Amino acid sequence: MEKTPSSESSERIIGAGWQKLATFLTHAGRQKPGRDGSFVNPPIERGSTVVFPTVADMEAQGARAYEHELVYGAMGNPVQHELERVIAALEGGQHTQVVNSGLAACTVALLAFLKGGDHLLLPDSVYGPTRRFAVNFLARFGVETSFYPPRANEAELRAYMKPHTAVIFAESPGSHTFEVQDIPLLARMAHGVGARLLLDNTWGIGAFQPFTHGVDVSIQALTKYPAGHADVILGAITVQKPEDWRALRRAAIELGACGAPDECWLTLRGLKTMAVRLAQQARSAYALAQWLESRPEVACVRHPALPSCPGHAFWKRDFQDASGLFGVELAAGITQEAMIAMLDGLKLFSIGASWGGYESLVLPTSGGLTRHHEEGFPSGAAFRIQVGLEAVEDLQADLARGLAGLAVK
Ligand SMILES: *Cc1c(COP(=O)(O)O)cnc(C)c1O
């Protein structure tokens, strides 16, 4: 049965789930408990060459490149490996490979688990650059891609599967349109034909445990909430099975994918405060989403914790909390130009790509979306909100001023 937003919130307090991560995140990534006369935080060690006492030592260490050991700068550095241990624990997996961006996490993961002649299934709501990588790049290497509707049921999905389907990719909720996907169903479908399920879990970090829901490979843009301050580009790929780790680690080494020490260090620092940042951002975003849904200028709000969001039931079943990014579609009759003038006039929301930082952002999402399938969103002028750490009353007042200027009849 569908519930109203208010009874929903009494059942699950948005933002409270993050509290469970606070102790872990405060202490994670510090091998020394800080009682040995050293600084609280680890040092940043920059380097290419690693030196060894003997040739035999160098060869022995080289053979352990799959075990997060220090071998050569392009294969990782101490802070990167520390960050990898923290992300693996946060995602509930066994091994993590950090790479230089969230997009690289998507592309390295796809390259690790696909070969020429394979078939790839991407959700129609996938992050645009991942879509373009498949269409423009993987196609040149003989990988065939099909786009499935993100909320396809079992029978519909079966129609998209091919004998050579090797990877089902998921992203939940979807980019810009926020459809929540049925991950356990996708896992069953993939495993039924010996394929793997890859998930871009950036929105669900800490709130969705990928491996308990059947995911084989979980991808994070660490650029977003983990780094948290709009000053880092970094990504991570996490797996659970030893054979998946061998394939992933081999691909990362052969592609030269790694994370720079300074970026890894800033991300480790960002993770220390992620639980408190996300708790506030999630609470504010949910409050704003509920308020926006009641406004006459708004046709619909796409926030996974709202019963009106496509796939809300999957969010309720599978997620422990929500994060601070959601979509808004304006009422019929409000033009793209009027919406853009409204966004331009906001004082506290900057206009820009990316999300997960401490500051609020908006971005138009109507007008430029590529989709193979319908789903009807956005049919009107639409935009995306990343809610930052500002006081929620100030954000609401800013949006109220903007919406009032739209003059809805
Ligand atoms: C931002 C984002 C990425 C890419 O991350 P970058 O670090 O900016 O390359 C990938 N997937 C999703 C869902 C994202 O939001």
Side-chain angles (χ1 to χ4, degrees), residues 2 8 26 30 43 80 86 93 120 168 179 188 222 250 252 258-259 274-275 286 360 371 399:
E2 295 284 66
E8 173 74 21
T26 303
R30 289 192 290 153
Q80 176 188 320
V86 177
L120 163 68
I168 300 182
E179 302 90 342
R188 268 201 316 282
L222 301 177
R250 176 176 299 133
C258 56
M274 190 174 80
Y286 188 56
S360 290
R371 293 285 189 270
L399 288 168

Side-chain angles (χ1 to χ4, degrees), residues 249-309:
R249 181 67 175 143
R250 176 176 299 133
I253 290 172
E254 292 177 356
L255 290 163
C258 56
D262 296 73
E263 314 301 277
C264 293
W265 194 93
L266 282 169
T267 305
L268 270 178
R269 187 169 74 170
L271 282 164
K272 298 277 168 267
T273 57
M274 190 174 80
V276 283
R277 284 187 282 109
L278 261 167
Q280 167 146 345
Q281 285 169 283
R283 265 197 312 273
S284 299
Y286 188 56
L288 288 174
Q290 286 179 306
W291 170 75
L292 283 163
E293 204 173 38
S294 73
R295 293 284 308 202
E297 303 89 349
V298 172
C300 70
V301 176
R302 293 293 180 103
H303 185 300
L306 291 179
S308 57
C309 188

Side-chain angles (χ1 to χ4, degrees), residues 100-106 126-127 129-130 171 173-175 200-203 219-224 232-235 325 354-355 384:
N100 65 293
S101 69
L103 177 57
C106 298
V126 75
Y127 178 63
T130 304
E171 184 179 324
S175 268
D200 186 331
N201 193 32
T202 301
W203 192 93
I219 293 161
Q220 284 292 340
L222 301 177
T223 305
K224 309 293 165 56
V232 167
I233 293 280
L234 206 65
L325 183 83
S354 206
W355 46 280
R384 185 180 83 173

Side-chain angles (χ1 to χ4, degrees), residues 347-378:
K347 302 273 185 293
L348 294 176
F349 294 81
S350 302
I351 297 159
S354 206
W355 46 280
Y358 55 81
E359 81 295 20
S360 290
L361 299 171
V362 285
L363 190 71
T365 49
S366 44
L369 279 188
T370 311
R371 293 285 189 270
H372 275 63
H373 308 281
E374 41 27 75
E375 291 244 0
F377 178 86

Side-chain angles (χ1 to χ4, degrees), residues 322-336:
S323 51
L325 183 83
F326 63 96
V328 180
E329 183 181 337
L330 294 174
I334 297 177
T335 62
Q336 180 84 357

